[in-house]
Amino acid sequence: MTGSWNDFNDAKQNSNIIPKGTLAKVRLTIRPGGYDDPAQGWTGGYATRGATGSVYLSGEFTVLEGPYARRKIFTLIGLYSPKGPDWTNMGRSLIRGMLNSARGISDKDNSAQAQAARRISGFTDLDGLEFIAKIDVGTDTNGDEKNEIRTAVTPDHKEYAALMGMAGAAAQAPAQTRSAQPSMPKPGVRPSWAQ
């Protein structure tokens, strides 16, 4: 007999894990940890200092569209570890990818504009950032599976434009839309950016 009221061995386990490799548009919300180190440029109370001395951003990534919309993924973005530079480098790499994705920049683009777009004035520039993430699966402190975000998808990826929607497609071609003098729209015709 299947599904008897007192034997739950054959009941499905509830797995809320988004499959590894899923691409999704997400919004980053930084959960403030109250730790500042102005010498490092860490201000605004965004960073968190852990018990081991590590410093990180506590990221809450909300999936914005698709079958996993409104799901939240929690990932720490490393800023400093007393154990060495690996965690810092992984965090910096993720932030670079997030900026590339959000701002429509190829990772291979080293132009002055691309370099400027990869600079932030503070963590407030990252809070609310929308980009395409590649969802991964890791383990939590109990050894259970949990989703993580370790990689951002940039315009070099074939699915980027579709996932970013119209804003992403427009961001891919800023050089073509810039001209010496902006053209005035014809009366009664909506400019392309207003459609």
Side-chain angles (χ1 to χ4, degrees), residues 5-25:
W5 70 272
N6 62 352
D7 183 356
F8 298 94
N9 286 301
D10 60 350
K12 284 188 169 184
Q13 288 185 310
N14 184 10
S15 176
N16 282 331
I17 300 298
I18 298 171
K20 180 177 180 149
T22 299
L23 303 181
K25 188 173 185 180

Side-chain angles (χ1 to χ4, degrees), residues 55-57 76-81 87-92 95:
V55 181
Y56 55 87
L57 297 176
L76 304 183
I77 303 169
L79 300 175
Y80 168 78
S81 171
W87 205 42
T88 302
N89 292 336
M90 287 179 2
R92 288 178 55 80
I95 292 171

Side-chain angles (χ1 to χ4, degrees), residues 2-171:
T2 300
S4 72
W5 70 272
N6 62 352
D7 183 356
F8 298 94
N9 286 301
D10 60 350
K12 284 188 169 184
Q13 288 185 310
N14 184 10
S15 176
N16 282 331
I17 300 298
I18 298 171
K20 180 177 180 149
T22 299
L23 303 181
K25 188 173 185 180
V26 299
R27 177 184 301 119
L28 168 62
T29 302
I30 300 172
R31 299 183 303 168
Y35 180 76
D36 286 339
D37 184 345
Q40 296 289 332
W42 304 337
T43 60
Y46 285 100
T48 299
R49 183 160 193 206
T52 63
S54 62
V55 181
Y56 55 87
L57 297 176
S58 181
E60 175 182 304
F61 299 85
T62 304
V63 178
L64 298 176
E65 300 168 355
Y68 303 105
R70 296 185 296 283
R71 294 274 294 275
K72 295 187 183 300
I73 300 168
F74 300 92
T75 299
L76 304 183
I77 303 169
L79 300 175
Y80 168 78
S81 171
K83 297 176 184 175
D86 289 348
W87 205 42
T88 302
N89 292 336
M90 287 179 2
R92 288 178 55 80
S93 179
L94 176 57
I95 292 171
R96 175 187 168 109
M98 293 182 337
L99 291 169
N100 284 341
S101 181
R103 297 176 177 174
I105 304 165
S106 167
D107 197 48
K108 298 172 186 116
D109 187 347
N110 288 314
S111 67
Q113 293 93 338
Q115 290 181 29
R118 291 187 195 108
R119 290 187 187 100
I120 59 172
S121 58
F123 294 136
T124 186
D125 292 354
L126 301 176
D127 198 28
L129 196 69
E130 293 183 7
F131 65 98
I132 306 301
K134 182 176 182 182
I135 299 173
D136 210 328
V137 177
T139 54
D140 64 15
T141 54
N142 297 324
D144 295 327
E145 285 189 334
K146 73 172 194 114
N147 283 124
E148 295 177 341
I149 293 184
R150 298 182 197 150
T151 313
V153 175
T154 63
D156 306 313
H157 193 285
K158 64 182 183 217
E159 294 179 51
Y160 174 85
L163 290 165
M164 277 303 271
M166 291 306 289

